[in-house]
Amino acid sequence: MSIFSPATGARAAILGVVALLGSFAAGQAEEGVAVFPDASRVVAIGGSVTEIVYALGEESKLVARDSTGTYPEAALKLPDVGYMRALSPEGVLSVNPSGILALAGSGPKEAVDVLKKASITFIEVPESFDHEGILKKIEVVGHALGADEKADALARSVDADLKAAEALTANVAERKRVLFILSMEGGKILAAGENTGANGIIRLAGGVNAMEGVNGYKQLSDEAALTAKPDIILMMDRGGEDHLANADEVFSNPALASTPAAATKNLVRMDGSYLLGFGPRTAAAIRDLAAALYGDQIKG
């Protein structure tokens, strides 16, 4: 259930929160705090943060989530305070939280700055798209909630699972070049380069990002697609016309029509939060993507 619809602009949301802030005790959240003094009513911002809280068995401490917190299904019963990159302080504070646990990259900056100045402990969970980054998330979330022993146990289990999943492609000689497409709106291809979640999961699954050397998400030109030479196109399986297009429609795009992937109509779709969440389910996502890339070539 959604309890907040984002305002037209961040400024309106920030102005609107001034009165709401007055209902909280005076003072500012202490910078650098790593554990909640009161973890009885925590807002989780970021799908992987919500997932980790549930994996720790600490979900009773959650009072709300953001719109990316869709797993496990039980999380959907929590109030939704809006999208993690378009937060309003009003929406977050309206559930009267005792603490805010937010994934790095939450925003906009103006909204986060207001939340950090409220008399509520704000703890940021670091994000890096690799094996160690997942374990660090678990450690930070567990410590914030006062559940260090549970976090240690979960981290050990996830670490072993990730190692086993990554080992599946250890003996693959010829690596597939994978092009992750975030959007094809209006026929313009937005593809993932380095320093993205897509790059991280492709590497963990034993693939090569066809956009290596490019930072972030960039629009793909016809010339760049030819240079990239992707063997496989990877997309999220979600709503939107571009994501519902079949392989023929995807590969009819001029930028993709002459690529190796188009010759074999090799298109892989996976659920976005599962593929790019970098949480407890990532080892399973690695296995599924590796199987899609290499089939019988992978061991196990």
Side-chain angles (χ1 to χ4, degrees):
M1 108 186 115
S2 178
I3 62 170
F4 179 73
S5 297
T8 304
R11 180 174 305 213
I14 292 169
L15 289 175
V17 81
V18 173
L20 188 60
L21 282 172
S23 65
F24 293 90
Q28 180 173 328
E30 182 183 347
E31 291 293 330
V33 173
V35 60
F36 291 119
D38 178 2
S40 63
R41 295 181 61 82
V42 174
V43 176
I45 306 296
S48 60
V49 174
T50 299
E51 185 176 338
I52 289 168
V53 174
Y54 274 85
L56 291 171
E58 295 291 315
E59 63 272 17
S60 64
K61 295 176 179 177
L62 292 182
V63 69
R65 59 174 177 95
D66 83 300
S67 61
T68 67
T70 59
Y71 185 88
E73 187 175 350
L76 297 175
K77 297 178 182 178
L78 291 169
D80 176 354
V81 298
Y83 176 49
M84 65 171 286
R85 301 193 193 282
L87 296 172
S88 160
E90 271 185 312
V92 176
L93 296 177
S94 67
V95 296
N96 192 25
S98 63
I100 300 167
L101 192 58
L103 189 63
S106 298
K109 182 180 182 301
E110 297 87 351
V112 170
D113 286 345
V114 170
L115 291 172
K116 286 181 176 179
K117 290 177 182 177
S119 56
I120 300 165
T121 305
F122 185 105
I123 296 178
E124 185 174 87
V125 180
E127 173 87 293
S128 63
F129 306 116
D130 53 24
H131 183 137
E132 290 303 319
I134 296 169
L135 303 183
K136 183 65 177 178
K137 278 187 189 179
I138 294 170
E139 174 191 340
V140 170
V141 172
H143 186 59
L145 298 174
D148 294 289
E149 290 187 6
K150 289 181 178 180
D152 288 344
L154 179 61
R156 286 195 299 271
S157 174
V158 169
D159 182 37
D161 207 12
L162 286 169
K163 287 176 178 174
E166 292 170 60
L168 291 174
T169 58
N171 296 324
V172 173
E174 187 175 345
R175 303 285 168 165
K176 298 290 186 181
R177 296 181 61 81
V178 183
L179 178 66
F180 178 86
I181 296 177
L182 180 65
S183 171
M184 292 183 68
E185 185 176 355
K188 296 179 180 178
I189 297 174
L190 188 62
E194 297 176 354
N195 299 310
T196 62
N199 180 72
I201 197 68
I202 289 168
R203 293 182 63 182
L204 288 171
V208 175
N209 187 354
M211 294 287 284
E212 57 187 346
V214 175
N215 187 51
Y217 287 93
K218 294 291 187 296
Q219 187 172 320
L220 187 71
S221 66
D222 295 3
E223 294 78 13
L226 288 173
T227 302
K229 297 179 180 178
D231 299 303
I232 294 171
I233 304 300
L234 177 61
M235 299 178 73
M236 289 188 288
D237 185 9
R238 66 183 188 189
E241 292 183 3
D242 55 321
H243 296 287
L244 296 176
N246 60 37
D248 287 337
E249 292 170 321
V250 170
F251 292 117
S252 66
N253 186 290
L256 302 175
S258 299
T259 63
T264 57
K265 297 292 191 294
N266 205 335
L267 172 64
V268 175
R269 298 181 190 275
M270 292 177 65
D271 177 78
S273 61
Y274 175 62
L275 180 69
L276 304 177
F278 287 85
R281 294 185 294 161
T282 296
I286 292 170
R287 290 189 184 92
D288 288 349
L289 182 55
L293 298 183
Y294 301 111
D296 294 339
Q297 293 183 61
I298 62 175
K299 65 179 183 179

